[in-house]
Amino acid sequence: MIDQPAPELGPGQVRVRTSYSGISAGTELTAYRGSNPYLTRSWDPELRLFVDDAGGLSYPVAGLGYSEVGQIVEAAPDVADDPGLPPVGAQVWGIWGHRGEAVLPAEQLRGCTLPEGLDPVAATFARVGAVALNAVLAADVHLSETVAVFGQGVLGLLTTRLVRLSGGTVVAIDAVPGRLEKALEYGAGAVVDARDASAGPQLRLLTDGRGADVAIEISGSYPALHEAIRGVAVNGRVVAAGFYQGDGVGLRLGDEFHHNRVRLICSQIGGVPPDVAGRWSQTRLNQTFLRLAVDRQVDLLGLVTHVIPVEEAAAAYRMLDRRPHEALQVVLKFP
């Protein structure tokens, strides 16, 4: 942990005191383990390319995290009485990193008041839920289609639930038995233990040889992406929604990808799928997901295995890195 001075409030800004912050065990561990491309390169927003110069992240990394909930404790005079913005005292969700407080543009929190009846810990899922919902939209799931979901961590379990709500039949794939049991609770119709068998052939056995209509790979594993490609039908769809690191070891595009004309679709939270861009936005993703939670269509608290004081964050990251089978969602609690 590092100490940073509290910045003064400027025009159009509010101060938010953090209550809870969820750890993203996928994205954040890429920085923790040193594999994140931002550590060695920087993103050029005009070229939309990574360029080989100084990395955009350096140690100590301040503010890592994107699943926060807190209370507005101060507002600049020019926005304090804006009826369209959350008032001082309001509980809000948003992205400001693992920090005790943050000064943010008030506009950033428009529409981010916690829905009535939603537990603040559940509200830390707003962003990760949007990631899962974005992947399901990209998959274009149709009624009764078989959808293979590779990876049953937090994002995969949310994806499994959202596919079921969309009318698909889920086959959940993971190598951690406890996660497969949880997948059945969240709506999977069948599971495949990736330790025991290759998932691609198993998916064909479960679909009378046809293969899954669509697969969503959300673990960020190249071998899993390869099995997803192997397991879909001819002209099937594979949504690559994981944050893949390094070279694509284990991914052979000259095999089933080429011969079965598989359609590979990227899903990334920086934008919504092109086919729905006129109707959907990141704001709608977030708000839709939280509404599903309020309506008890998605059980978020059932995914929280640890609520840990922020002072013990280092131990939390060590657990997620070395003993991932012990945890699903880890939430940091601030004083």
Side-chain angles (χ1 to χ4, degrees):
M1 295 179 64
I2 59 175
D3 291 324
Q4 292 182 308
E8 295 293 327
L9 211 60
Q13 294 182 326
V14 296
R15 190 183 309 276
V16 182
R17 187 166 295 149
T18 309
S19 304
Y20 299 99
S21 184
I23 295 178
S24 169
T27 300
E28 292 184 45
L29 285 186
T30 66
Y32 184 85
R33 293 167 174 159
S35 64
N36 192 300
Y38 284 95
L39 291 168
T40 56
R41 289 171 287 165
S42 63
W43 175 252
D44 187 318
E46 294 185 3
L47 291 175
R48 296 199 64 80
L49 291 171
F50 278 99
V51 293
D52 293 322
D53 58 8
L57 291 175
S58 60
Y59 183 84
V61 179
L64 191 66
Y66 56 83
S67 302
E68 285 70 55
V69 169
Q71 183 179 41
I72 297 177
V73 294
E74 186 182 1
D78 60 324
V79 293
D81 298 321
D82 187 327
L85 295 171
V88 172
Q91 293 282 331
V92 293
W93 56 267
I95 301 173
W96 56 84
H98 302 314
R99 60 182 83 224
E101 69 172 46
V103 170
L104 306 171
E107 279 295 327
Q108 183 176 320
L109 298 176
R110 188 181 293 274
C112 294
T113 303
L114 259 68
E116 185 176 351
L118 184 66
D119 189 295
V121 172
T124 63
F125 285 82
R127 186 68 165 175
V128 291
V131 171
L133 179 54
N134 209 35
V136 174
L137 289 176
D140 189 25
V141 177
H142 299 162
L143 187 67
S144 84
E145 284 190 323
T146 298
V147 182
V149 179
F150 284 76
Q152 293 296 308
V154 171
L155 281 173
L157 289 164
L158 293 176
T159 301
T160 289
R161 181 60 184 155
L162 293 172
V163 169
R164 283 296 298 130
L165 293 175
S166 301
T169 299
V170 177
V171 179
I173 299 100
D174 204 290
V176 179
R179 293 181 180 179
L180 293 176
E181 294 171 11
K182 199 72 172 178
L184 293 171
E185 292 179 27
Y186 276 67
V191 297
V192 173
D193 190 329
R195 301 172 305 168
D196 297 337
S198 297
Q202 290 299 308
L203 286 169
R204 296 191 180 278
L205 287 175
L206 291 169
T207 54
D208 297 324
R210 184 184 66 251
D213 297 286
V214 59
I216 300 173
E217 203 301 299
I218 204 158
S219 73
S221 161
Y222 287 115
L225 181 59
H226 185 67
E227 289 300 317
I229 290 169
R230 294 185 75 204
V232 295
V234 174
N235 294 316
R237 308 182 298 282
V238 174
V239 176
F243 188 14
Y244 303 94
Q245 304 294 298
D247 296 336
V249 176
L251 178 63
R252 301 189 302 276
L253 296 182
D255 294 3
E256 292 83 5
F257 173 76
H258 180 75
H259 289 80
N260 288 333
R261 301 181 300 279
V262 174
R263 287 176 283 169
L264 188 59
I265 302 161
C266 176
S267 176
Q268 198 271 346
I269 195 58
V272 298
D275 290 346
V276 300
R279 298 179 286 113
W280 283 84
S281 64
Q282 292 188 44
T283 298
R284 186 179 178 186
L285 289 173
N286 292 323
Q287 293 178 343
T288 297
F289 183 77
L290 290 180
R291 177 51 54 189
L292 289 171
V294 171
D295 292 342
R296 302 182 183 277
Q297 296 295 303
V298 182
D299 175 17
L300 299 180
L301 296 181
L303 297 175
V304 178
T305 53
H306 298 76
V307 178
I308 294 176
V310 67
E311 295 84 0
E312 300 175 20
Y317 281 97
R318 283 195 298 272
M319 175 180 63
L320 289 169
D321 179 42
R322 301 174 186 176
R323 307 185 306 279
H325 59 280
E326 294 183 8
L328 282 172
Q329 183 61 54
V330 177
V331 176
L332 301 176
K333 179 177 172 56
F334 286 76

